[in-house]
Amino acid sequence: MEASRKFICRQRQVLFSFLLLGFSLAGAAEPRRYSVVEETEGSSFVTNLAKDLGLEQREFFRRGVRVVSRGNKLHLQLNQETGDLLLNEKLDRENLCGHTEPCVLRFQVLLESPLEFFQADLQVTDINDHSPVFLDKEMLVKVSESSPPGTTFPLKNAEDLDVGQNNIESYVISPNSYFRVLTRKRSDGRKYPELVLDKALDREEEPELRLTLTALDGGSPSKSGTALVYVEVVDFNDNAPEFEQPFYRVQISEDSPIGFLVVKVSATDVDTGINGEISYSLFQASDEISKTFKVDSLTGEIRLKKQLDFEKLHSYEINIEARDAGGFSGKCTVLIQVMDVNDHAPEVTMSAFTSPIPENAPETVVALFSVLDLDSEENGKISCSIQDDLPFLLKSSVENFYTLLTERPLDRESRAEYNITITVSDLGTPKRTTQLKMTVLVSDVNDNAPTFTQSSYTLFVRENNSPALHIGSVSATDRDSGTNAQVTYSLLPPQDTHLPLASLVSINADNGHLFALRSLDYEALQAFEFRVGATDRGSPALSSEALVRVLVLDANDNSPFVLYPLQNGSAPCTELVPRVAEPGYLVTKVVAVDSDSGQNAWLSFQLLKATEPGLFGVWAHNGEVRTARLLSERDAAKHRLLVLVKDNGEPPRSATATLHVLLVDGFSQPYLPLPEAAPAQAQADSLTVYLVVALASVSSLFLFSVLLFVAVRLCRRSRAASVGGCSVPEGPFPGHLVDVSGIGTLSQSYQYEVCLTGDSGTGEFKFLKPVLRNIQGHSFGPEMEENSNIRNDFGFSLQLK
């Protein structure tokens, strides 16, 4: 397993194509065959793979051609520059294949890009580099003098490691008058000598013979080996031992223990005495048989001397000799068939492995490996599998090669690593299993755009902020990894081309922090919106966008502004109040606005100072100035009121309005300006005071004349006019309405009914209660509406109807 792991680590350097184009030379195609003579020196030329594959040298190098073999036994090496296939070392056919003929070494030629491989065979041709060798250099053959001509005597054979025609071809014996030798062939193909008696022996004439047995192979030139054969002529013995059966067939399991009884052979001799005593022994046994089996000379029991291995040798053919004391012998053959047991676990050899695998790639080759089981039949049949819950599959190719490839495109964001266990099992009993574990990593592809945590963001910033103030952040995440997940932020061009976005906000490209570049003014800009983009650093880059709304919060940075009465330093406006006014009489209304919003624009009114406290009052919510009690003759004619207008901000801001009120007995009384309106120096100068009083009297008289003229003209047009229940008798003075139209922050319009008393000869006006009416289709109540932001100028007209 350690070797397999090292091999896998080396194979991680191999890069496959991500598209499996198929195996063009695999499957039913015949393997390419090459041959080499054994004992050829290393680095010798075998073939040129570039020409065999029909590839140019540049194409050959680009496709990454490699040579792999079972068990990674590299007998060949490939020159990548020339495409020549060379021997990696000197090959010894006898060590590689033993007596197996032909000696074929199987290997695969692998092309990596695109993946393609084919099967090839290297046949190692035998040369006659071994001579026949007799295991016993001397052999003793006892021949009874009574043996008739034609009697045969088997001799021990020689061994030759070469195969085919280089193996033993024939046996010859030195020239003599009594014997010749025949070459016989066993069932396994091996040849052995048999001595044939041509002439009857006479012990008294020649008691023994010394012969030379020669074994010749079929090589060119031929090689030979010799052994000495001693023929001892023995006295007459007319019966030889005979086995109960000439051929024994035995099956034995390869896992049988040492000392296991294989079979018991038995022979009988009809002779009596010493000529009837039988001993058993191996006859012409090879070195392998002698090491594996032993025979009890007395009982004929054949037992194991060492453990059997079916994968090395499937069967044994043993010759057993039964010899009596007189030198006669009988022969039998025992065929021992070794039965396979499932004693080998499957072997897995990894040829190529690729990791990481790019996500979203189509069917991609991950690994190429081969499996092998040295057992046979069901014990050598192999099944290969992986876990069921993985998006991978195994495809079987040729010669027990398997390809591991992706079943569908992978998604790194769902799973970035797969632990795959390849389980290889045979079908034997008990079943043997081998597992190979590997980790396949999935590399990232930029297939996910950044995603904002919110589709839209709402940020709040209070006006009058300091420049470069951090007002909020946007955030986007990317499910990819590495540079594909690194997000940069930017401001997108505004849809409103008139919005100077570049001078309002900026964004930190790395973290999405937003900053106000300059101080904002709520009264100039209450809100604005823009789009922010998030782009990753993949190739190609992906992006998304989000909407950002910035709401400017109002600060109480504007004081109330008084629209009426005007406080611009010009001649003050004096409000006239008849002395007959009842409590609650509306004197005037202070109209003010505030450029702020919300509670910062909620205004309240308060009377700070008055010439006569308690005479007038101000409504806190609408600024109406009304009389607080009945007027009397003792009240001063001139009054100065100071009204405070305050907003509801924090801290609050305020403004003051100065009102001048003149108490009159009727509207016919001349209007006298307040002394405060005159300069301080004029107040000290009595002459100036007289001039002013005279001028005011003349002006009042002129105004009264104009009004009287207008009233006469109107009364002629409508003699029956009456308003609000006021009856005007026929005469030169009809009834009149004074209309104070509410605009700006005035909550209502006021119409004052002006009537002349019927029996009055002094020309006094009669003031009745105001009559409310709608202005421009809107109804106004007595209270000023809150949260209003009024920017119109204020004015009212005096209308006589």
Side-chain angles (χ1 to χ4, degrees):
M1 291 299 293
E2 185 64 27
S4 298
R5 291 176 183 171
K6 292 182 179 178
F7 182 73
I8 291 174
C9 292
R10 291 197 301 270
Q11 296 305 317
R12 287 180 183 272
Q13 301 173 359
V14 179
L15 295 178
F16 283 123
S17 170
F18 300 122
L19 296 176
L20 184 62
L21 300 181
F23 305 106
S24 63
L25 297 178
E30 290 293 331
R32 296 176 181 265
R33 297 186 180 277
Y34 305 98
S35 64
V36 64
V37 179
E38 70 166 328
E39 303 299 333
T40 302
E41 294 295 330
S43 301
S44 297
F45 176 81
V46 177
T47 186
N48 187 278
L49 282 182
K51 293 181 179 179
D52 293 345
L53 298 175
L55 300 176
E56 296 292 337
Q57 182 58 39
R58 180 179 302 174
E59 180 70 10
F60 182 84
F61 180 79
R62 185 189 67 80
R63 294 197 64 179
V65 182
R66 294 192 302 118
V67 175
V68 295
S69 61
R70 178 179 296 178
N72 297 324
K73 297 177 181 178
L74 299 179
H75 301 295
L76 299 171
Q77 60 178 336
L78 181 61
N79 189 325
Q80 296 288 344
E81 297 180 357
T82 63
D84 292 340
L85 186 64
L86 309 175
L87 285 178
N88 197 36
E89 59 185 1
K90 183 187 293 185
L91 300 181
D92 186 353
R93 193 206 66 80
E94 287 73 33
N95 288 336
L96 294 173
C97 301
H99 286 280
T100 302
E101 181 64 16
C103 181
V104 177
L105 303 179
R106 182 154 290 181
F107 66 95
Q108 294 79 33
V109 178
L110 178 67
L111 290 76
E112 295 175 356
S113 180
L115 180 63
E116 188 178 1
F117 76 97
F118 63 84
Q119 195 75 25
D121 294 339
L122 178 65
Q123 180 175 347
V124 183
T125 305
D126 183 52
I127 63 172
N128 193 20
D129 56 343
H130 293 86
S131 299
V133 175
F134 286 93
L135 297 180
D136 294 332
K137 296 297 184 181
E138 295 180 356
M139 291 179 279
L140 175 62
V141 178
K142 292 183 180 183
V143 180
S144 174
E145 62 179 340
S146 62
S147 298
T151 304
T152 59
F153 303 93
L155 300 176
K156 294 182 179 181
N157 62 290
E159 299 250 345
D160 195 328
L161 296 179
D162 296 321
V163 295
Q165 66 179 6
N166 294 326
N167 204 294
I168 296 174
E169 185 69 23
S170 63
Y171 292 89
V172 297
I173 200 166
S174 58
N176 63 90
S177 302
Y178 298 98
F179 295 96
R180 61 186 171 90
V181 70
L182 295 178
T183 302
R184 303 292 188 184
K185 191 174 184 179
R186 291 194 179 95
S187 60
D188 60 358
R190 289 186 295 175
K191 297 179 179 180
Y192 66 94
E194 193 172 65
L195 196 62
V196 181
L197 181 63
D198 286 339
K199 179 182 177 182
L201 295 173
D202 187 355
R203 183 177 180 278
E204 289 71 25
E205 183 179 342
E206 193 170 7
E208 65 177 24
L209 296 173
R210 184 183 295 266
L211 305 175
T212 301
L213 180 63
T214 303
L216 300 173
D217 62 23
S220 180
S222 177
K223 293 189 177 184
S224 62
T226 60
L228 292 178
V229 179
Y230 294 97
V231 179
E232 180 182 348
V233 182
V234 297
D235 194 16
F236 176 73
N237 185 3
D238 57 348
N239 290 290
E242 293 183 3
F243 282 91
E244 293 179 354
Q245 58 188 72
F247 186 81
Y248 292 83
R249 183 184 296 272
V250 180
Q251 292 182 340
I252 180 173
S253 177
E254 66 173 324
D255 61 348
S256 299
I258 296 175
F260 178 79
L261 177 61
V262 179
V263 69
K264 180 180 180 181
V265 298
S266 177
T268 59
D269 195 326
V270 297
D271 293 328
T272 60
I274 191 172
N275 291 328
E277 295 179 0
I278 299 174
S279 64
Y280 301 92
S281 64
L282 297 174
F283 181 75
Q284 295 183 351
S286 65
D287 185 56
E288 179 66 25
I289 292 176
S290 299
K291 291 180 179 179
T292 307
F293 303 96
K294 64 180 178 178
V295 180
D296 191 303
S297 61
L298 298 179
T299 63
E301 293 179 348
I302 302 175
R303 296 183 179 273
L304 287 179
K305 290 178 63 177
K306 73 171 187 177
Q307 192 78 37
L308 300 177
D309 189 353
F310 172 83
E311 287 70 37
K312 290 184 178 180
L313 199 58
H314 298 344
S315 64
Y316 297 88
E317 185 176 326
I318 305 174
N319 294 314
I320 304 297
E321 181 184 49
R323 183 180 293 275
D324 61 18
F328 286 95
S329 64
K331 308 290 188 304
C332 77
T333 301
V334 178
L335 179 61
I336 301 175
Q337 293 181 333
V338 182
M339 303 302 294
D340 182 45
V341 296
N342 195 21
D343 57 345
H344 290 86
E347 298 177 3
V348 182
T349 302
M350 184 67 65
S351 298
F353 177 68
T354 300
S355 180
I357 299 296
E359 65 173 332
N360 299 336
E363 191 175 81
T364 305
V365 176
V366 178
L368 178 67
F369 62 93
S370 61
V371 295
L372 173 67
D373 196 318
L374 298 177
D375 297 318
S376 64
E377 301 298 332
E378 294 298 314
N379 296 332
K381 293 182 179 179
I382 296 174
S383 64
C384 189
S385 64
I386 59 175
Q387 302 99 305
D388 294 333
D389 59 342
L390 297 180
F392 298 88
L393 56 87
L394 288 174
K395 282 188 177 180
S396 176
S397 56
V398 296
E399 201 65 27
N400 286 336
F401 270 86
Y402 287 86
T403 303
L404 176 67
L405 60 159
T406 57
E407 186 177 21
R408 61 179 181 272
L410 304 179
D411 185 8
R412 189 205 64 83
E413 289 70 39
S414 299
R415 188 169 179 180
E417 178 180 306
Y418 293 90
N419 294 317
I420 303 176
T421 301
I422 299 176
T423 303
V424 182
S425 303
D426 58 28
L427 302 182
T429 303
K431 181 183 294 186
R432 289 183 175 269
T433 300
T434 299
Q435 289 186 338
L436 177 63
K437 296 183 178 181
M438 61 181 67
T439 299
V440 178
L441 303 178
V442 183
S443 61
D444 185 52
V445 173
N446 191 26
D447 57 345
N448 290 279
T451 303
F452 281 94
T453 56
Q454 301 173 213
S455 59
S456 63
Y457 296 81
T458 302
L459 307 180
F460 298 91
V461 57
R462 190 168 295 279
E463 67 172 329
N464 304 323
N465 58 283
S466 59
L469 176 68
H470 176 233
I471 61 175
S473 301
V474 295
S475 178
T477 58
D478 197 313
R479 296 180 62 197
D480 296 320
S481 64
T483 57
N484 295 332
Q486 296 179 3
V487 180
T488 57
Y489 301 90
S490 62
L491 297 178
L492 300 181
Q495 297 178 348
D496 184 3
T497 57
H498 300 289
L499 179 67
L501 182 63
S503 63
L504 291 176
V505 293
S506 67
I507 190 169
N508 188 311
D510 296 327
N511 53 29
H513 290 344
L514 291 166
F515 300 89
L517 295 180
R518 59 181 175 85
S519 180
L520 301 177
D521 184 4
Y522 174 83
E523 286 70 36
L525 182 64
Q526 286 81 30
F528 62 94
E529 62 182 28
F530 55 91
R531 291 174 299 131
V532 175
T535 305
D536 59 30
R537 296 184 180 178
S539 180
L542 300 177
S543 62
S544 61
E545 62 182 53
L547 180 67
V548 179
R549 296 184 180 89
V550 178
L551 301 181
V552 182
L553 300 180
D554 181 52
N556 193 23
D557 57 345
N558 291 282
S559 298
F561 179 77
V562 178
L563 297 177
Y564 182 84
L566 294 177
Q567 305 292 310
N568 54 4
S570 60
C573 180
T574 303
E575 306 294 337
L576 302 180
V577 177
R579 290 185 180 272
V580 294
E582 298 180 356
Y585 174 83
L586 177 63
V587 178
T588 187
K589 180 176 182 179
V590 177
V591 180
V593 295
D594 196 315
S595 297
D596 296 321
S597 66
Q599 66 179 10
N600 295 328
W602 296 353
L603 302 180
S604 61
F605 302 86
Q606 179 182 354
L607 183 61
L608 285 182
K609 185 184 296 184
T611 303
E612 186 173 342
L615 181 57
F616 298 98
V618 177
W619 285 26
H621 298 294
N622 56 17
E624 292 180 353
V625 179
R626 295 177 179 271
T627 57
R629 59 177 176 81
L630 287 174
L631 304 178
S632 65
E633 295 296 332
R634 291 176 298 180
D635 292 326
K638 303 172 185 178
H639 295 269
R640 180 175 179 272
L641 306 180
L642 184 62
V643 178
L644 175 67
V645 183
K646 183 173 65 173
D647 60 27
N648 198 37
E650 184 62 37
R653 292 177 175 269
S654 61
T656 57
T658 302
L659 301 177
H660 299 280
V661 179
L662 179 64
L663 302 183
V664 295
D665 293 330
F667 283 115
S668 60
Q669 180 178 349
Y671 169 70
L672 298 178
L674 294 177
E676 287 82 2
Q681 184 177 0
Q683 292 179 359
D685 192 346
S686 59
L687 180 60
T688 303
V689 172
Y690 294 147
L691 291 176
V692 170
V693 171
L695 180 60
S697 301
V698 173
S699 299
S700 300
L701 182 61
F702 175 74
L703 177 60
F704 179 76
S705 301
V706 171
L707 293 176
L708 183 61
F709 174 76
V710 172
V712 171
R713 294 293 300 271
L714 291 176
C715 286
R716 290 178 180 178
R717 295 180 181 179
S718 179
R719 296 182 178 275
S722 63
V723 180
C726 177
S727 297
V728 181
E730 293 185 2
F733 299 102
H736 300 281
L737 290 177
V738 178
D739 183 14
V740 181
S741 298
I743 61 173
T745 57
L746 282 178
S747 62
Q748 53 189 321
S749 298
Y750 298 94
Q751 287 184 337
Y752 295 98
E753 182 181 4
V754 181
C755 300
L756 294 176
T757 57
D759 55 352
S760 174
T762 61
E764 295 180 351
F765 289 102
K766 178 181 179 182
F767 286 81
L768 301 180
K769 60 182 179 179
V771 179
L772 303 180
R773 71 170 182 173
N774 294 336
I775 298 178
Q776 298 179 356
H778 298 282
S779 177
F780 293 86
E783 299 294 331
M784 182 177 68
E785 183 179 357
E786 295 182 353
N787 296 327
S788 61
N789 190 4
I790 301 174
R791 301 178 183 272
N792 300 325
D793 294 331
F794 172 78
F796 70 90
S797 61
L798 180 65
Q799 300 179 358
L800 299 178
K801 295 185 180 179

